[in-house]
Amino acid sequence: MDPPHGFGIWMLCILSGWPGGPPGRLLNGDAWVQIAPVQKGSGVCQDIRPGIDITFHLYRFYDGHDAEDYKILITYDKENLTAAGINPDYPTVFYAHGYLAGPDSIESRTIRRAYAARGGYNFVTVGWRPLAGGPFYHSAVENVGPLGYQIAQMLDFMEKNAGPLKDLHLIGNNLGAHAMGVAARRTYVVRVPRITGFDPAMANISNFPLEQRLDPGDAYFVDVIDTDSPSEKRPHDFGHANFYISRAKPTKCHVPRILRFPSNYYRRAFCGHGRAFEVYARSVLHENAFPAMHCASYTAFRQGLCRDPSEAVPMGFKAPNSARGNYFLFNEKQLFGLGNALGAQQTSNQIGLRRSAPPTSASTNGYLVKQIQDFLGFQRA
């Protein structure tokens, strides 16, 4: 399709300038689709509007603050930053959601509530829903660069006026992971210690220059949790440590009916993604729930060539910054953290991952395993 010209560009710019972004609706209760794309990377329409296109929501998980109460941060507004009351003595986490999501979508709430349950954090949710709205994936990809630049500006501003930011950790889901890589590269004051990426998007972005996507050079430690089936043909790894959790078969796929086009494009965009944030959230409260084995390839792992316990490291929150290479989960029991099954059950309820309570019976452990397997969409290899 040819790009719009004249009146078409004018209309797109009008819609992209709509307060809060173009009109749209939620599909399946969580996937945001809108009537027009908002594409800031091309420079055709107006630049990013901080506070409208991108918002920064500060949560303070300490000193008795309400875990659901947040302050909107405004870049370069010192009075606003002072009034927000950030405490630099606590670690700071930034989270950027992915394509089709928003600052209060399931993925954002899940990660936020996990850190709230752990306590002792400054937590900033980066909202960019108008720029991430579907079904315009190509526009969302173009917005990754401008988004990363805005995050970098906020990081430098906070470092100079409320910092130094302690134990800074940037976390992003699919396209949000790449935006965090861009942000880390474009800061002038902050040096980012760690970036964690959930399912960094491959489509239309994996061959971008390093400065426009997630890369091991973006931080001292970059770890990636990937729910796609491991492939021997990936062009490169996005992190120092790359954790694969999908076993031999791809995860289940649930595509909103409206997106089931003949081209199957959106099915590929949805399938194999969307579960890494749930696994990570569990690891925030159960640090050693997901031990993973270092192995050169998935083929070698399946052949049983990598079984030395000394090569195992925890995946997720407690992943050591010395980890390098590819890691695969041992087996289903270790994948779902049976070492502390009842604790894992409590955790999942606490961070809102479960919708119903399990039956009270002697088979609680077996029930828990089955429910988590069904919820995360894993199949036996």
Side-chain angles (χ1 to χ4, degrees), residues 200 214-216 221-224 236-242 323-326:
L214 183 64
D215 179 78
F221 178 54
V222 179
D223 60 313
V224 169
H236 46 250
D237 292 320
F238 291 121
H240 294 108
N242 303 278
R324 293 294 185 273
N326 295 330

Side-chain angles (χ1 to χ4, degrees), residues 5-195:
H5 297 281
F7 180 77
I9 291 180
W10 180 76
M11 284 300 299
L12 285 177
C13 289
I14 289 291
L15 289 171
S16 69
W18 199 278
R25 60 173 296 185
L26 289 173
L27 297 181
N28 290 2
D30 203 56
W32 176 255
V33 296
Q34 53 200 33
I35 65 173
V38 178
Q39 185 168 319
K40 300 295 184 176
S42 64
V44 174
C45 300
Q46 61 180 302
D47 294 333
I48 293 285
R49 301 168 300 167
I52 300 177
D53 296 320
I54 299 173
T55 53
F56 296 93
H57 306 241
L58 170 66
Y59 297 84
R60 296 167 296 171
F61 301 143
Y62 48 81
D63 294 344
H65 292 295
D66 186 344
E68 296 297 318
D69 182 44
Y70 64 86
K71 307 291 184 181
I72 294 292
L73 299 180
I74 302 174
T75 310
Y76 302 131
D77 188 331
K78 293 183 179 180
E79 291 184 3
N80 165 265
L81 184 62
T82 300
I86 185 171
N87 188 337
D89 292 334
Y90 290 96
T92 297
V93 174
F94 270 63
Y95 179 75
H97 61 77
Y99 174 56
L100 298 174
D104 200 39
S105 60
I106 289 175
E107 62 171 84
S108 301
R109 295 197 307 270
T110 298
I111 297 298
R112 184 180 78 234
R113 290 172 179 174
Y115 275 96
R118 187 177 181 90
Y121 281 86
N122 299 298
F123 189 93
V124 179
T125 300
V126 182
W128 60 294
R129 191 177 76 170
L131 308 184
F136 309 103
Y137 178 76
H138 294 283
S139 295
V141 169
E142 289 292 327
N143 291 329
V144 166
L147 170 64
Y149 177 65
Q150 292 293 324
I151 297 172
Q153 288 186 312
M154 176 59 78
L155 289 171
D156 280 343
F157 171 66
M158 291 177 65
E159 178 79 4
K160 289 188 292 186
N161 295 280
L165 299 177
K166 180 181 178 181
D167 297 332
L168 178 63
H169 186 182
L170 308 185
I171 306 174
N173 188 30
N174 61 69
L175 291 181
H178 291 295
M180 288 308 195
V182 173
R185 279 184 176 268
R186 300 202 65 173
T187 57
Y188 291 99
V189 180
V190 175
R191 291 297 175 262
V192 177
R194 182 182 178 186
I195 302 174

